[in-house]
Amino acid sequence: MGLQALVFDVDGTVAETERDGHRVAFNQAFAEAGLPIVWSESVYGALLQVSGGKERIAYYVQHFAPHLQLPAEDVERLHRRKNEIFGSLAPRLALRPGVRRLLREAREAGLRLAVATTTSPENAVALLEAHGLAGFFEFVGAGDAVSRKKPAPDIYRLVLDRLRLAPEEGVAVEDSRNGVLAARSAGLPVLVTPSFYTRRESFPGALAVVEHLGEPDLPARILQGPVSGRVVVTPAWIAQLLSG
Ligand code: XBP
Ligand code: MG
């Protein structure tokens, strides 16, 4: 028993992909298709409550632009194009502080690493490859690999199943309330690094909430947890949190 694996969310956790990546790519795909839809930063923030890009487009059209009468094939085509555009933006999306460092330290400490994300696998892989991180992860659980997206626990259950891990042996790293709900429902403890769109959310049941993962010259503020102050999140610090 004890800490054996870290399971990373991608969007918002590894990088600020939503505001500067997905949102921009959705808008470009809409424009290319000649659709009169532009998602502002604030509108997109509200739409993030709908997990999944296809689901988000379909929800928006149904509620705010029903006159467009977009059939499911068009939604799928738009989403495919949006993901291609996201792939081309991925190299420009900076990693959040501490992500690369913690992955390296986790590998050195013998921890296993996996991804549990709602985004499509091609987006997760594009971002990880663009930053030379893909090789860190033994399994990428993503998108439609499960039928129910976060906040349902399914993607975390799939990852635990593939890694043959008990939930108490892993810690999820998440940025959103939906992600915390998903991980907690699967029994996984969660460390939260809120992102641009989730910084005002609450994270019930989180082990701790930290500003970001921290770097030696940029320790992160501890926003919620058993201790206060600042921290550079390390595998040892996470193990200590876990052991209470
Ligand atoms: C991510 C999502 C995804 C992305 C877009 O949530 O909800 O839908 O916004 O990706 P999380 P796709 O960080 O909780 O996994 O367009 O590929 O769905
Ligand atoms: Mg996220």
Side-chain angles (χ1 to χ4, degrees), residues 12-33:
T13 300
V14 170
E16 279 292 354
T17 50
E18 294 293 9
R19 183 190 56 192
D20 307 331
H22 291 297
R23 184 185 70 88
V24 173
F26 278 115
N27 283 336
Q28 192 178 321
F30 297 146
E32 285 179 10

Side-chain angles (χ1 to χ4, degrees), residues 9 11 18 22 26 44 48 51-53 56 79 82-83 117-120 123 150 175-176:
D9 170 49
D11 292 311
E18 294 293 9
H22 291 297
F26 278 115
Y44 191 69
L48 282 176
S51 281
R56 197 168 294 142
H79 186 243
K82 169 262 168 190
N83 285 352
T117 177
T118 289
T119 202
S120 314
N123 296 335
K150 299 175 190 175
D175 72 306
S176 71

Side-chain angles (χ1 to χ4, degrees), residues 112-167:
R112 300 168 70 193
L113 293 162
V115 163
T117 177
T118 289
T119 202
S120 314
E122 60 268 33
N123 296 335
V125 169
L127 184 76
L128 298 175
E129 281 185 347
H131 294 282
L133 301 181
F136 280 98
F137 297 98
E138 66 179 271
F139 179 61
V140 174
D144 296 330
V146 290
S147 53
R148 297 183 310 161
K149 293 185 173 162
K150 299 175 190 175
D154 304 28
I155 196 70
Y156 278 104
R157 287 194 181 138
L158 176 71
V159 169
L160 290 171
D161 192 54
R162 287 299 181 91
L163 267 58
R164 296 183 175 281
L165 269 188

Side-chain angles (χ1 to χ4, degrees), residues 107-242:
R107 186 165 63 184
E108 280 159 23
L111 294 181
R112 300 168 70 193
L113 293 162
V115 163
T117 177
T118 289
T119 202
S120 314
E122 60 268 33
N123 296 335
V125 169
L127 184 76
L128 298 175
E129 281 185 347
H131 294 282
L133 301 181
F136 280 98
F137 297 98
E138 66 179 271
F139 179 61
V140 174
D144 296 330
V146 290
S147 53
R148 297 183 310 161
K149 293 185 173 162
K150 299 175 190 175
D154 304 28
I155 196 70
Y156 278 104
R157 287 194 181 138
L158 176 71
V159 169
L160 290 171
D161 192 54
R162 287 299 181 91
L163 267 58
R164 296 183 175 281
L165 269 188
E168 323 77 67
E169 295 171 326
V171 166
V173 185
E174 273 285 355
D175 72 306
S176 71
R177 183 181 167 85
N178 273 346
V180 170
L181 292 172
R184 295 300 300 132
S185 308
L188 269 163
V190 199
L191 173 68
V192 184
T193 58
S195 58
F196 175 76
Y197 280 120
T198 64
R199 62 199 173 201
R200 290 193 189 86
E201 292 184 342
S202 62
F203 307 103
L207 279 177
V209 181
V210 291
E211 192 184 5
H212 46 68
L213 294 171
E215 296 286 7
D217 57 353
L218 187 70
R221 277 183 299 141
I222 300 173
L223 307 171
Q224 182 187 313
V227 286
S228 55
R230 290 184 179 261
V231 66
V232 178
V233 174
T234 60
W237 191 77
I238 298 175
Q240 203 180 321
L241 275 181
L242 203 55

